[in-house]
Amino acid sequence: MMPRYRLLIEYDGRPFNGFQAQDGLPTIQGAIERAVKAFCGEDLRLQAAGRTDTGVHARGQVVHVDLAKDWPAETVRNALNAHLVPQPIAVLEASVAPEGWHARFSAKERRYLYRILNRMAPPALDQGRVWHVKKPLDAEAMHEAAQALVGHHDFTTFRDLGCQAKSPMKTLDLASVRREGDEVLLEFASRSFLHRQVRSMTGTLAEVGVGRWTRADLVAALEARDRRACGPVAPAEGLYLTGVAY
Amino acid sequence: MMPRYRLLIEYDGRPFNGFQAQDGLPTIQGAIERAVKAFCGEDLRLQAAGRTDTGVHARGQVVHVDLAKDWPAETVRNALNAHLVPQPIAVLEASVAPEGWHARFSAKERRYLYRILNRMAPPALDQGRVWHVKKPLDAEAMHEAAQALVGHHDFTTFRDLGCQAKSPMKTLDLASVRREGDEVLLEFASRSFLHRQVRSMTGTLAEVGVGRWTRADLVAALEARDRRACGPVAPAEGLYLTGVAY
């Protein structure tokens, strides 16, 4: 049997046209598949826990590859990293997956972090890694409002019109907002998310943060089950896929 | 009297040939001076608390500029930031300095952070922002050894041969090493540092961290007062000027 390798991946989303392979465009999937080919000569498609959009980062993406040969896991990690350099993609860990395990279908929870830099000055060290919001945000009000999103809901309001999921029903397990110095950090966890759900929720919560929306406005938007009720969608650059639980 | 503005500056050192202005090369000083010129038409030289080397970053550099006109401090900050974009330099704060205050000569303490990424996988999100060390580092042993450097010493061993300071005598107020996840973070504070002193101390402490040097070896190197006794010099990319106290 071909061994299946589980890979924990970190990447900077800036130079890529998103995760998913596209002909002629730089993508994270394409870069990893080319590294696999360079390592062992195999042309294969990898499977990933989450397909992140253009400009979205990851500290804990999980993918799997089925290789023809039984390599030591550290060899797979080190060889792929050697072939990925200097692209900003790194294989943090590699391990042989248990029988029947699948990076996408076995995932029980995805976790995302959204970083807002909330100060007058633009980012210097964190260009392309944070959403810059100049108006002061009330992180406590955002946290309080975010609790209205937790639970099993129809998230049509917070779903991109191009989303291909069969159902808009999702269960949000965690929505947390806190301030750390100049940054407002939002964390979300769910078995799975709709397309642009995290960025749609974040942009709408920022409206609460600046005082333009109340918690009641957010609840009404959720209950509207209408994309037009969503606030502005936060940009990709502040979003990180931080982990996947199995 | 011309008002003196104190500016708190953040920058990513990667695209610059260091802080100090040099003809025909991109430098942080040159970029800020050009932004001042674009803002108010004045050709002036700024003064800085520390002149960082090529590739060194800052979260808390302090500089001053003497402007001909009495601008509101927020106007100075916002206008300079508008002219600095898209360069990775930001003015975090601007204020009118007290009489006689000087960014360089009034400084009582400089503080630096050195970030080591200590894992097998290379940095992806932090390319150019950390020193990548694959061998496991014993941060506690490094911290313990670092205490031998604290105090008033002749730091000739940890001083670049091109250093122009009159005396190699310096008082190191703080040397702290701790692990945070995959990172080993070193913090140093002193009234002033010799050229490449932080990187020289860091590279030598890393030798202790991997077990090649003992604390006694570090003490012997310090006491040798000889540049040839220094360990390898850590690269610029992990170094941050984090703050200046007055």
Side-chain angles (χ1 to χ4, degrees):
Chain A
M1 232 197 88
M2 292 166 82
R4 172 163 291 181
Y5 290 88
R6 167 180 170 162
L7 309 175
L8 181 69
I9 311 279
E10 173 183 305
Y11 50 82
D12 182 334
R14 279 181 290 183
F16 302 103
N17 284 68
F19 187 87
Q20 197 170 9
Q22 298 175 65
D23 279 343
L25 291 173
T27 66
I28 295 128
Q29 182 179 358
I32 300 173
E33 288 173 355
R34 267 196 310 281
V36 170
K37 169 107 176 170
F39 161 49
C40 60
E42 295 180 56
D43 261 314
L44 53 77
R45 296 260 92 169
L46 62 79
Q47 295 291 325
R51 281 168 297 180
T52 53
D53 277 348
T54 298
V56 174
H57 316 292
R59 289 211 177 268
Q61 170 73 284
V62 177
V63 310
H64 81 238
V65 288
D66 296 322
L67 300 183
K69 211 185 126 182
D70 218 339
W71 304 91
E74 309 79 60
T75 302
V76 174
R77 180 194 62 198
N78 297 345
L80 293 183
N81 282 332
H83 289 295
L84 284 165
V85 165
Q87 300 164 99
I89 306 174
V91 179
L92 305 188
E93 297 169 15
S95 58
V96 176
E99 180 76 32
W101 179 90
H102 191 287
R104 182 172 171 204
F105 299 121
S106 305
K108 292 209 162 46
E109 186 181 84
R110 275 95 174 163
R111 199 170 270 258
Y112 283 91
L113 170 70
Y114 197 99
R115 292 174 62 193
I116 300 177
L117 182 66
N118 189 34
R119 67 179 189 197
M120 281 302 296
L125 273 161
D126 289 312
Q127 276 186 5
R129 321 285 197 84
V130 293
W131 178 26
H132 180 215
V133 173
K134 291 183 185 180
K135 285 199 181 179
L137 293 168
D138 181 340
E140 282 179 42
M142 291 169 72
H143 180 78
E144 213 256 310
Q147 302 322 301
L149 301 172
V150 174
H152 189 65
H153 299 290
D154 180 330
F155 282 99
T156 296
T157 300
F158 301 102
R159 170 191 198 178
D160 189 82
L161 289 173
C163 178
Q164 288 170 23
K166 289 196 188 83
S167 161
M169 301 303 299
K170 292 287 173 192
T171 304
L172 186 64
D173 299 322
L174 171 79
S176 144
V177 185
R178 67 181 194 279
R179 175 174 288 279
E180 271 187 21
D182 278 347
E183 293 195 19
V184 173
L185 303 175
L186 296 88
E187 280 186 280
F188 299 96
S190 175
R191 184 178 186 96
S192 65
F193 289 92
L194 298 164
H195 192 207
R196 303 242 164 109
Q197 186 183 344
V198 173
R199 289 165 54 191
S200 298
M201 295 189 297
T202 297
T204 305
L205 287 168
E207 294 295 293
V208 175
V210 297
R212 276 192 294 258
W213 286 42
T214 63
R215 177 181 166 134
D217 296 330
L218 183 80
V219 170
L222 174 66
E223 289 176 352
R225 298 181 186 84
D226 182 341
R227 182 59 174 164
R228 291 166 298 178
C230 186
V233 176
E237 56 198 9
L239 185 59
Y240 297 73
L241 172 56
T242 50
V244 185
Y246 290 92
Chain B
M1 230 197 89
M2 291 167 82
R4 174 163 290 182
Y5 290 88
R6 166 180 170 162
L7 309 175
L8 181 69
I9 311 277
E10 174 183 304
Y11 50 81
D12 182 335
R14 279 181 289 183
F16 302 103
N17 285 68
F19 186 87
Q20 197 169 10
Q22 298 175 65
D23 280 341
L25 291 175
T27 66
I28 295 127
Q29 182 178 0
I32 300 172
E33 288 174 355
R34 268 196 310 282
V36 170
K37 169 105 175 170
F39 161 50
C40 60
E42 294 181 56
D43 261 314
L44 52 77
R45 296 259 92 169
L46 62 79
Q47 295 291 324
R51 282 169 294 181
T52 52
D53 277 348
T54 298
V56 174
H57 316 293
R59 289 211 176 268
Q61 170 75 284
V62 177
V63 310
H64 81 238
V65 288
D66 296 323
L67 300 183
K69 212 185 126 182
D70 219 338
W71 304 91
E74 310 79 60
T75 302
V76 174
R77 180 194 60 198
N78 297 345
L80 294 183
N81 282 333
H83 289 294
L84 284 164
V85 166
Q87 300 164 100
I89 305 175
V91 180
L92 305 188
E93 297 169 14
S95 58
V96 175
E99 181 75 32
W101 179 89
H102 192 287
R104 182 172 170 202
F105 300 122
S106 305
K108 292 210 161 47
E109 186 181 85
R110 276 95 174 163
R111 198 171 270 257
Y112 284 91
L113 169 70
Y114 198 99
R115 292 174 62 193
I116 300 177
L117 182 66
N118 190 33
R119 68 180 189 195
M120 280 302 295
L125 273 161
D126 289 312
Q127 277 187 5
R129 322 285 197 84
V130 294
W131 178 25
H132 180 216
V133 173
K134 291 183 184 179
K135 285 198 182 180
L137 292 168
D138 181 339
E140 283 180 41
M142 291 168 72
H143 180 78
E144 213 257 311
Q147 302 322 301
L149 301 172
V150 174
H152 189 65
H153 300 289
D154 179 331
F155 282 100
T156 296
T157 300
F158 301 102
R159 170 191 199 177
D160 190 82
L161 289 173
C163 179
Q164 288 168 26
K166 288 195 189 84
S167 160
M169 301 303 298
K170 292 287 172 193
T171 303
L172 187 64
D173 298 322
L174 171 79
S176 143
V177 186
R178 67 180 193 279
R179 175 174 289 278
E180 270 188 21
D182 277 348
E183 292 195 20
V184 173
L185 303 175
L186 296 88
E187 280 187 280
F188 300 96
S190 175
R191 184 178 186 96
S192 65
F193 289 92
L194 299 164
H195 191 206
R196 303 244 163 108
Q197 186 183 344
V198 173
R199 289 165 55 192
S200 298
M201 294 189 297
T202 297
T204 305
L205 286 168
E207 295 295 293
V208 176
V210 298
R212 276 192 294 258
W213 286 42
T214 64
R215 177 181 165 133
D217 295 331
L218 183 79
V219 171
L222 174 67
E223 289 175 351
R225 298 179 186 84
D226 182 341
R227 182 60 175 164
R228 291 166 298 179
C230 186
V233 176
E237 57 198 10
L239 185 59
Y240 297 73
L241 173 56
T242 51
V244 185
Y246 290 92

